[in-house]
Amino acid sequence: MSVALIIAAKGNDVTTTQPHRTMQEATALLAEKKIGAVIVTGDDGGVLGILSERDIVRAVGLHGCGVLQDPVSKYMTGRVVTTSMDESIDQVMEQMTAGRFRHLPVIKEGRLAGVISIGDVVKHRLDGLESEHRAMREYIATA
Ligand code: AMP
């Protein structure tokens, strides 16, 4: 089972922002799209960072609501771990567990081609278990 399978199911739409955008704008984007993180990209579309709801909560908690007027670049994580279409879901889970994050941008031919969240991984796992159980029930019923 690979990353490509999840991207094929959910699509390769990625919500992005730019480093000069304010934290307020990024927060509004997360709320509007009902997502937990935005990928920060440069003019050429390259990945410069990731800003998740945790970064926003941490910034507000430590420095107050004034941070909402600051640029995203100040609080984003700059060293982004990415994955590729041919990586396995098990590898993705390992990366998320080891890095303690819940989002992985997918890079294809040097370009952003999607994002996998922990929610996608859990859904994929549950769907797999469901088909396994169905196959098992059918096997038992016809045996
Ligand atoms: P999350 O669990 O995804 O909300 O993120 C927790 C922390 O990890 C935040 O500081 C994020 O900026 C950071 N983070 C999220 N995803 C990644 C990633 N793929 N690579 C590096 N850092 C990340």
Side-chain angles (χ1 to χ4, degrees), residues 1 6 88-93 118-133:
M1 291 292 173
I6 290 186
S88 71
I89 307 303
D90 284 349
Q91 282 171 306
V92 164
M93 286 195 294
I118 188 93
D120 299 325
V121 174
V122 170
K123 181 183 179 312
H124 177 83
R125 274 284 154 131
L126 288 177
D127 288 350
L129 282 175
E130 177 60 34
S131 347
E132 242 175 67
H133 286 174

PDB file of all heavy atoms in Angstrom, residues 1 6 88-93 118-133:
ATOM      1  N   MET A   1       0.843  -1.200   0.000  1.00  0.00           N
ATOM      2  CA  MET A   1       0.000   0.000   0.000  1.00  0.00           C
ATOM      3  C   MET A   1       0.876   1.247   0.000  1.00  0.00           C
ATOM      4  O   MET A   1       1.761   1.385   0.838  1.00  0.00           O
ATOM      5  CB  MET A   1      -0.872   0.010   1.263  1.00  0.00           C
ATOM      6  CG  MET A   1      -1.926  -1.062   1.276  1.00  0.00           C
ATOM      7  SD  MET A   1      -3.182  -0.729   0.019  1.00  0.00           S
ATOM      8  CE  MET A   1      -4.130  -2.229   0.137  1.00  0.00           C
ATOM      9  N   ILE A   6      -3.513   6.714  -1.517  1.00  0.00           N
ATOM     10  CA  ILE A   6      -4.256   7.689  -0.710  1.00  0.00           C
ATOM     11  C   ILE A   6      -4.476   8.972  -1.511  1.00  0.00           C
ATOM     12  O   ILE A   6      -5.570   9.531  -1.524  1.00  0.00           O
ATOM     13  CB  ILE A   6      -3.518   7.995   0.627  1.00  0.00           C
ATOM     14  CG1 ILE A   6      -3.582   6.766   1.537  1.00  0.00           C
ATOM     15  CG2 ILE A   6      -4.127   9.207   1.318  1.00  0.00           C
ATOM     16  CD1 ILE A   6      -3.024   6.969   2.922  1.00  0.00           C
ATOM     17  N   SER A  88       5.541   3.569   1.379  1.00  0.00           N
ATOM     18  CA  SER A  88       4.437   2.771   1.914  1.00  0.00           C
ATOM     19  C   SER A  88       3.745   3.517   3.057  1.00  0.00           C
ATOM     20  O   SER A  88       4.336   4.403   3.676  1.00  0.00           O
ATOM     21  CB  SER A  88       4.961   1.423   2.414  1.00  0.00           C
ATOM     22  OG  SER A  88       5.719   1.639   3.598  1.00  0.00           O
ATOM     23  N   ILE A  89       2.520   3.116   3.331  1.00  0.00           N
ATOM     24  CA  ILE A  89       1.764   3.742   4.427  1.00  0.00           C
ATOM     25  C   ILE A  89       2.460   3.443   5.756  1.00  0.00           C
ATOM     26  O   ILE A  89       2.473   4.280   6.667  1.00  0.00           O
ATOM     27  CB  ILE A  89       0.301   3.228   4.445  1.00  0.00           C
ATOM     28  CG1 ILE A  89      -0.348   3.401   3.070  1.00  0.00           C
ATOM     29  CG2 ILE A  89      -0.507   3.915   5.531  1.00  0.00           C
ATOM     30  CD1 ILE A  89      -0.347   4.814   2.526  1.00  0.00           C
ATOM     31  N   ASP A  90       3.073   2.269   5.855  1.00  0.00           N
ATOM     32  CA  ASP A  90       3.819   1.934   7.076  1.00  0.00           C
ATOM     33  C   ASP A  90       4.976   2.917   7.283  1.00  0.00           C
ATOM     34  O   ASP A  90       5.223   3.374   8.398  1.00  0.00           O
ATOM     35  CB  ASP A  90       4.367   0.504   7.009  1.00  0.00           C
ATOM     36  CG  ASP A  90       3.284  -0.525   7.259  1.00  0.00           C
ATOM     37  OD1 ASP A  90       2.182  -0.107   7.690  1.00  0.00           O
ATOM     38  OD2 ASP A  90       3.518  -1.714   7.017  1.00  0.00           O
ATOM     39  N   GLN A  91       5.666   3.258   6.198  1.00  0.00           N
ATOM     40  CA  GLN A  91       6.779   4.233   6.297  1.00  0.00           C
ATOM     41  C   GLN A  91       6.252   5.605   6.728  1.00  0.00           C
ATOM     42  O   GLN A  91       6.877   6.290   7.543  1.00  0.00           O
ATOM     43  CB  GLN A  91       7.493   4.369   4.941  1.00  0.00           C
ATOM     44  CG  GLN A  91       8.447   3.223   4.639  1.00  0.00           C
ATOM     45  CD  GLN A  91       8.941   3.309   3.198  1.00  0.00           C
ATOM     46  OE1 GLN A  91       8.156   3.381   2.262  1.00  0.00           O
ATOM     47  NE2 GLN A  91      10.249   3.303   3.014  1.00  0.00           N
ATOM     48  N   VAL A  92       5.103   5.980   6.184  1.00  0.00           N
ATOM     49  CA  VAL A  92       4.486   7.267   6.538  1.00  0.00           C
ATOM     50  C   VAL A  92       4.167   7.292   8.035  1.00  0.00           C
ATOM     51  O   VAL A  92       4.450   8.267   8.736  1.00  0.00           O
ATOM     52  CB  VAL A  92       3.203   7.493   5.689  1.00  0.00           C
ATOM     53  CG1 VAL A  92       2.330   8.583   6.284  1.00  0.00           C
ATOM     54  CG2 VAL A  92       3.583   7.854   4.262  1.00  0.00           C
ATOM     55  N   MET A  93       3.603   6.186   8.517  1.00  0.00           N
ATOM     56  CA  MET A  93       3.254   6.115   9.951  1.00  0.00           C
ATOM     57  C   MET A  93       4.507   6.213  10.818  1.00  0.00           C
ATOM     58  O   MET A  93       4.519   6.880  11.850  1.00  0.00           O
ATOM     59  CB  MET A  93       2.487   4.824  10.253  1.00  0.00           C
ATOM     60  CG  MET A  93       1.058   4.885   9.750  1.00  0.00           C
ATOM     61  SD  MET A  93       0.009   3.615  10.439  1.00  0.00           S
ATOM     62  CE  MET A  93       0.723   2.173   9.750  1.00  0.00           C
ATOM     63  N   ILE A 118      -2.593  12.445   9.280  1.00  0.00           N
ATOM     64  CA  ILE A 118      -2.786  11.245  10.113  1.00  0.00           C
ATOM     65  C   ILE A 118      -4.210  10.717   9.941  1.00  0.00           C
ATOM     66  O   ILE A 118      -4.446   9.515   9.949  1.00  0.00           O
ATOM     67  CB  ILE A 118      -2.455  11.539  11.608  1.00  0.00           C
ATOM     68  CG1 ILE A 118      -2.449  10.262  12.455  1.00  0.00           C
ATOM     69  CG2 ILE A 118      -3.441  12.501  12.219  1.00  0.00           C
ATOM     70  CD1 ILE A 118      -1.126   9.644  12.590  1.00  0.00           C
ATOM     71  N   GLY A 119      -5.154  11.651   9.707  1.00  0.00           N
ATOM     72  CA  GLY A 119      -6.558  11.262   9.482  1.00  0.00           C
ATOM     73  C   GLY A 119      -6.694  10.407   8.235  1.00  0.00           C
ATOM     74  O   GLY A 119      -7.458   9.434   8.223  1.00  0.00           O
ATOM     75  N   ASP A 120      -5.939  10.748   7.180  1.00  0.00           N
ATOM     76  CA  ASP A 120      -5.986   9.949   5.946  1.00  0.00           C
ATOM     77  C   ASP A 120      -5.445   8.544   6.198  1.00  0.00           C
ATOM     78  O   ASP A 120      -5.973   7.559   5.692  1.00  0.00           O
ATOM     79  CB  ASP A 120      -5.124  10.606   4.852  1.00  0.00           C
ATOM     80  CG  ASP A 120      -5.608  11.988   4.478  1.00  0.00           C
ATOM     81  OD1 ASP A 120      -6.829  12.209   4.484  1.00  0.00           O
ATOM     82  OD2 ASP A 120      -4.754  12.856   4.195  1.00  0.00           O
ATOM     83  N   VAL A 121      -4.362   8.490   6.997  1.00  0.00           N
ATOM     84  CA  VAL A 121      -3.738   7.191   7.278  1.00  0.00           C
ATOM     85  C   VAL A 121      -4.697   6.305   8.084  1.00  0.00           C
ATOM     86  O   VAL A 121      -4.888   5.127   7.756  1.00  0.00           O
ATOM     87  CB  VAL A 121      -2.408   7.381   8.055  1.00  0.00           C
ATOM     88  CG1 VAL A 121      -1.829   6.049   8.484  1.00  0.00           C
ATOM     89  CG2 VAL A 121      -1.407   8.143   7.211  1.00  0.00           C
ATOM     90  N   VAL A 122      -5.346   6.899   9.085  1.00  0.00           N
ATOM     91  CA  VAL A 122      -6.283   6.131   9.924  1.00  0.00           C
ATOM     92  C   VAL A 122      -7.463   5.651   9.074  1.00  0.00           C
ATOM     93  O   VAL A 122      -7.872   4.492   9.156  1.00  0.00           O
ATOM     94  CB  VAL A 122      -6.765   6.980  11.128  1.00  0.00           C
ATOM     95  CG1 VAL A 122      -7.910   6.290  11.854  1.00  0.00           C
ATOM     96  CG2 VAL A 122      -5.612   7.254  12.084  1.00  0.00           C
ATOM     97  N   LYS A 123      -7.987   6.545   8.214  1.00  0.00           N
ATOM     98  CA  LYS A 123      -9.123   6.174   7.365  1.00  0.00           C
ATOM     99  C   LYS A 123      -8.731   5.005   6.456  1.00  0.00           C
ATOM    100  O   LYS A 123      -9.473   4.035   6.325  1.00  0.00           O
ATOM    101  CB  LYS A 123      -9.547   7.382   6.525  1.00  0.00           C
ATOM    102  CG  LYS A 123     -10.738   7.091   5.645  1.00  0.00           C
ATOM    103  CD  LYS A 123     -11.103   8.266   4.777  1.00  0.00           C
ATOM    104  CE  LYS A 123     -12.286   7.966   3.879  1.00  0.00           C
ATOM    105  NZ  LYS A 123     -12.229   6.704   3.151  1.00  0.00           N
ATOM    106  N   HIS A 124      -7.529   5.109   5.877  1.00  0.00           N
ATOM    107  CA  HIS A 124      -7.034   4.081   4.976  1.00  0.00           C
ATOM    108  C   HIS A 124      -6.919   2.738   5.706  1.00  0.00           C
ATOM    109  O   HIS A 124      -7.317   1.698   5.184  1.00  0.00           O
ATOM    110  CB  HIS A 124      -5.671   4.518   4.436  1.00  0.00           C
ATOM    111  CG  HIS A 124      -5.042   3.519   3.560  1.00  0.00           C
ATOM    112  ND1 HIS A 124      -5.356   3.411   2.238  1.00  0.00           N
ATOM    113  CD2 HIS A 124      -4.119   2.568   3.821  1.00  0.00           C
ATOM    114  CE1 HIS A 124      -4.658   2.430   1.723  1.00  0.00           C
ATOM    115  NE2 HIS A 124      -3.893   1.909   2.655  1.00  0.00           N
ATOM    116  N   ARG A 125      -6.400   2.792   6.933  1.00  0.00           N
ATOM    117  CA  ARG A 125      -6.250   1.573   7.738  1.00  0.00           C
ATOM    118  C   ARG A 125      -7.607   0.952   8.062  1.00  0.00           C
ATOM    119  O   ARG A 125      -7.795  -0.255   7.998  1.00  0.00           O
ATOM    120  CB  ARG A 125      -5.532   1.907   9.051  1.00  0.00           C
ATOM    121  CG  ARG A 125      -4.033   1.880   8.940  1.00  0.00           C
ATOM    122  CD  ARG A 125      -3.620   0.457   8.906  1.00  0.00           C
ATOM    123  NE  ARG A 125      -2.361   0.278   8.220  1.00  0.00           N
ATOM    124  CZ  ARG A 125      -1.360  -0.429   8.712  1.00  0.00           C
ATOM    125  NH1 ARG A 125      -1.472  -1.000   9.893  1.00  0.00           N
ATOM    126  NH2 ARG A 125      -0.263  -0.579   8.033  1.00  0.00           N
ATOM    127  N   LEU A 126      -8.581   1.811   8.453  1.00  0.00           N
ATOM    128  CA  LEU A 126      -9.908   1.317   8.805  1.00  0.00           C
ATOM    129  C   LEU A 126     -10.596   0.693   7.596  1.00  0.00           C
ATOM    130  O   LEU A 126     -11.232  -0.361   7.709  1.00  0.00           O
ATOM    131  CB  LEU A 126     -10.774   2.452   9.377  1.00  0.00           C
ATOM    132  CG  LEU A 126     -10.393   2.921  10.777  1.00  0.00           C
ATOM    133  CD1 LEU A 126     -11.277   4.083  11.211  1.00  0.00           C
ATOM    134  CD2 LEU A 126     -10.484   1.795  11.793  1.00  0.00           C
ATOM    135  N   ASP A 127     -10.441   1.345   6.427  1.00  0.00           N
ATOM    136  CA  ASP A 127     -11.032   0.796   5.199  1.00  0.00           C
ATOM    137  C   ASP A 127     -10.442  -0.585   4.904  1.00  0.00           C
ATOM    138  O   ASP A 127     -11.153  -1.515   4.526  1.00  0.00           O
ATOM    139  CB  ASP A 127     -10.753   1.724   3.997  1.00  0.00           C
ATOM    140  CG  ASP A 127     -11.568   3.008   4.083  1.00  0.00           C
ATOM    141  OD1 ASP A 127     -12.461   3.094   4.941  1.00  0.00           O
ATOM    142  OD2 ASP A 127     -11.280   3.934   3.296  1.00  0.00           O
ATOM    143  N   GLY A 128      -9.106  -0.709   5.113  1.00  0.00           N
ATOM    144  CA  GLY A 128      -8.423  -1.981   4.878  1.00  0.00           C
ATOM    145  C   GLY A 128      -8.952  -3.070   5.808  1.00  0.00           C
ATOM    146  O   GLY A 128      -9.230  -4.192   5.379  1.00  0.00           O
ATOM    147  N   LEU A 129      -9.122  -2.713   7.087  1.00  0.00           N
ATOM    148  CA  LEU A 129      -9.619  -3.682   8.068  1.00  0.00           C
ATOM    149  C   LEU A 129     -11.041  -4.116   7.724  1.00  0.00           C
ATOM    150  O   LEU A 129     -11.387  -5.288   7.816  1.00  0.00           O
ATOM    151  CB  LEU A 129      -9.613  -3.060   9.471  1.00  0.00           C
ATOM    152  CG  LEU A 129      -8.260  -2.993  10.176  1.00  0.00           C
ATOM    153  CD1 LEU A 129      -8.388  -2.254  11.494  1.00  0.00           C
ATOM    154  CD2 LEU A 129      -7.703  -4.401  10.410  1.00  0.00           C
ATOM    155  N   GLU A 130     -11.836  -3.117   7.302  1.00  0.00           N
ATOM    156  CA  GLU A 130     -13.226  -3.390   6.934  1.00  0.00           C
ATOM    157  C   GLU A 130     -13.293  -4.398   5.790  1.00  0.00           C
ATOM    158  O   GLU A 130     -14.048  -5.370   5.850  1.00  0.00           O
ATOM    159  CB  GLU A 130     -13.903  -2.058   6.563  1.00  0.00           C
ATOM    160  CG  GLU A 130     -15.329  -2.163   6.092  1.00  0.00           C
ATOM    161  CD  GLU A 130     -16.248  -2.784   7.137  1.00  0.00           C
ATOM    162  OE1 GLU A 130     -16.030  -2.566   8.345  1.00  0.00           O
ATOM    163  OE2 GLU A 130     -17.171  -3.512   6.728  1.00  0.00           O
ATOM    164  N   SER A 131     -12.461  -4.201   4.723  1.00  0.00           N
ATOM    165  CA  SER A 131     -12.496  -5.150   3.601  1.00  0.00           C
ATOM    166  C   SER A 131     -12.002  -6.521   4.035  1.00  0.00           C
ATOM    167  O   SER A 131     -12.519  -7.536   3.580  1.00  0.00           O
ATOM    168  CB  SER A 131     -11.669  -4.692   2.400  1.00  0.00           C
ATOM    169  OG  SER A 131     -11.280  -3.406   2.462  1.00  0.00           O
ATOM    170  N   GLU A 132     -11.001  -6.531   4.919  1.00  0.00           N
ATOM    171  CA  GLU A 132     -10.493  -7.821   5.405  1.00  0.00           C
ATOM    172  C   GLU A 132     -11.595  -8.579   6.143  1.00  0.00           C
ATOM    173  O   GLU A 132     -11.791  -9.776   5.926  1.00  0.00           O
ATOM    174  CB  GLU A 132      -9.364  -7.558   6.391  1.00  0.00           C
ATOM    175  CG  GLU A 132      -8.038  -8.118   5.972  1.00  0.00           C
ATOM    176  CD  GLU A 132      -6.939  -7.717   6.934  1.00  0.00           C
ATOM    177  OE1 GLU A 132      -6.967  -8.173   8.081  1.00  0.00           O
ATOM    178  OE2 GLU A 132      -6.065  -6.917   6.526  1.00  0.00           O
ATOM    179  N   HIS A 133     -12.325  -7.851   7.014  1.00  0.00           N
ATOM    180  CA  HIS A 133     -13.399  -8.485   7.788  1.00  0.00           C
ATOM    181  C   HIS A 133     -14.503  -8.989   6.865  1.00  0.00           C
ATOM    182  O   HIS A 133     -15.032 -10.078   7.057  1.00  0.00           O
ATOM    183  CB  HIS A 133     -13.988  -7.483   8.799  1.00  0.00           C
ATOM    184  CG  HIS A 133     -13.074  -7.254   9.955  1.00  0.00           C
ATOM    185  ND1 HIS A 133     -13.318  -6.325  10.933  1.00  0.00           N
ATOM    186  CD2 HIS A 133     -11.905  -7.840  10.296  1.00  0.00           C
ATOM    187  CE1 HIS A 133     -12.326  -6.345  11.813  1.00  0.00           C
ATOM    188  NE2 HIS A 133     -11.461  -7.266  11.444  1.00  0.00           N
TER     189      HIS A 133
END
